[in-house]
Amino acid sequence: MPSSNSLPTHHLDPFHKERHRTSTNAIFGYNNLPVQHQIQGFELYSSEGMIPDYGPAKSTFYRVGITLKGTIHMQLGLEHFDIAPLSLTFSIPGQVHSKSNASPDIFGYYILFSPTFLEGLLNHLNMSAEFPFYDYCGSQLLQCNEQEINEIVSFIEKIDGELQSDNTGKVTAIKMYLYLLLLTAKRSYERQLPLNNVSPTTHMVTQFHKLVSQHFLQFRQVSDYARMLNVTPNHLNRVVKNTTNRTASDAIQEMLVQEAKVLLQNTALSISEISYQLDFSEPAAFNHFFRKLTGGTPLGYRSMS
């Protein structure tokens, strides 16, 4: 099976901003920030100048989004979220993600940081254990109260102040403010845990979707995920079908077509090369699969991307 490490991902490099932003005169965070003030492995933006429709894509960094006004739709793996004001969203390196349908009044902030950026405060290998929203098993959408959002925005403003300055120790200060921001989010997450009780069937479907999002390149059979969840394939199929009106196999295929779109958008690989990289027996099988799920051909999708 192909390795996710061989697939294209976006990096925090000088060219990355062009993929998610349009030109704007806004002076905030990294937008129009002089090169001498930039720091490696970290970026901060407001939503002003953000491209409203983006993805599907993959990245090598963590993301935290803060929505203050307006709404936007986000897909992380197989999970769909309608993001409302006073909410936080989180994405994990290597996770397929996209966003769409941003309302005209959308406003907020987003932070991008590399897995090793918080070294010295937190070992990057412990990120998912320290912050449950950066674990595939955790919830990646968090609705906060006004006090929590105000505290988080205060850290955003402090980070921006450091970015615009030449102050001694600015990198360390930014790391500390980011850690405190994530800690505030974690406390909100923990505060809401008693309110997040769901039925056993809904929990199983959520866990199934998270497992597929994490392992679909390696495991393509419903029986693989039934084994991980300690249920029979028939039971898993029945629960997923009754809850989502789609089969478990549909979910696996949806993740695979998202990955195909990432490859078609972000690489110069031929259709044949993509089909073999995704473990199809021949290009014709890949073309048939893509047309069945999207209504169009891989080549047609690439030409419109």
Side-chain angles (χ1 to χ4, degrees), residues 165-182:
S165 77
D166 289 315
N167 292 338
T168 301
K170 64 181 286 183
V171 175
T172 301
I174 289 171
K175 289 182 179 182
M176 289 180 170
Y177 288 136
L178 174 59
Y179 183 88
L180 289 172
L181 184 155
L182 295 175

Side-chain angles (χ1 to χ4, degrees), residues 44-303:
L44 165 69
Y45 300 96
S46 78
S47 58
E48 183 179 352
M50 177 185 74
I51 295 174
D53 294 289
Y54 174 82
K58 300 175 81 171
S59 59
T60 59
F61 45 82
Y62 289 97
R63 179 187 181 279
V64 52
I66 302 98
T67 302
L68 302 179
K69 290 177 55 181
T71 60
I72 191 169
H73 182 82
M74 180 171 287
Q75 182 172 359
L76 298 170
L78 287 169
E79 296 185 277
H80 292 260
F81 302 102
D82 289 314
I83 312 303
L86 307 187
S87 62
L88 306 178
T89 53
F90 308 89
S91 60
I92 303 168
Q95 185 175 40
V96 180
H97 59 278
S98 61
K99 58 182 171 63
S100 59
N101 298 328
S103 64
D105 62 338
I106 189 77
F107 183 77
Y109 306 102
Y110 57 103
I111 296 172
L112 317 173
F113 62 99
S114 69
T116 58
F117 181 71
L118 288 175
E119 290 288 346
L121 296 177
L122 175 68
N123 187 312
H124 71 277
L125 298 176
N126 297 332
M127 182 68 75
S128 62
E130 181 73 14
F131 299 116
F133 38 77
Y134 284 134
D135 190 310
Y136 275 97
C137 294
S139 174
Q140 293 175 262
L141 169 63
L142 184 59
Q143 192 72 37
C144 297
N145 61 36
E146 192 167 344
Q147 179 181 345
E148 292 162 343
I149 283 291
N150 288 341
E151 187 173 353
I152 285 168
V153 169
S154 73
F155 291 132
I156 293 285
E157 293 171 346
K158 290 179 183 297
I159 291 172
D160 181 56
E162 291 292 336
L163 282 173
Q164 309 298 334
S165 77
D166 289 315
N167 292 338
T168 301
K170 64 181 286 183
V171 175
T172 301
I174 289 171
K175 289 182 179 182
M176 289 180 170
Y177 288 136
L178 174 59
Y179 183 88
L180 289 172
L181 184 155
L182 295 175
L183 182 60
T184 300
K186 178 181 179 179
R187 289 172 176 174
S188 177
Y189 188 101
E190 293 174 341
R191 173 182 64 79
Q192 298 180 62
L193 279 179
L195 305 178
N196 291 336
N197 293 327
V198 297
S199 69
T201 55
T202 300
H203 178 73
M204 180 179 293
V205 172
T206 300
Q207 292 306 108
F208 167 66
H209 283 167
K210 290 181 179 295
L211 287 169
V212 172
S213 299
Q214 187 175 8
H215 299 294
F216 72 98
L217 289 172
Q218 183 178 5
F219 299 113
R220 306 277 178 88
Q221 302 301 317
V222 174
S223 58
D224 296 322
Y225 297 97
R227 184 174 61 254
M228 295 179 198
L229 293 167
N230 296 312
V231 297
T232 67
N234 285 340
H235 179 72
L236 178 57
N237 262 315
R238 184 167 58 254
V239 168
V240 172
K241 178 69 172 177
N242 289 342
T243 305
T244 68
N245 203 33
R246 303 179 67 204
T247 67
S249 292
D250 288 339
I252 299 169
Q253 291 180 351
E254 181 184 336
M255 276 307 310
L256 192 57
V257 82
Q258 283 195 59
E259 192 75 10
K261 288 178 177 180
V262 172
L263 287 164
L264 290 165
Q265 282 185 338
N266 298 286
T267 75
L269 294 173
S270 68
I271 304 302
S272 295
E273 290 170 325
I274 291 174
S275 67
Y276 291 127
Q277 184 157 323
L278 293 180
D279 209 37
F280 285 89
S281 58
E282 58 182 1
F286 172 59
N287 271 276
H288 176 76
F289 164 81
F290 195 90
R291 182 184 288 275
K292 178 183 175 183
L293 268 73
T294 70
T297 65
L299 192 59
Y301 178 82
R302 170 171 275 173
S303 66

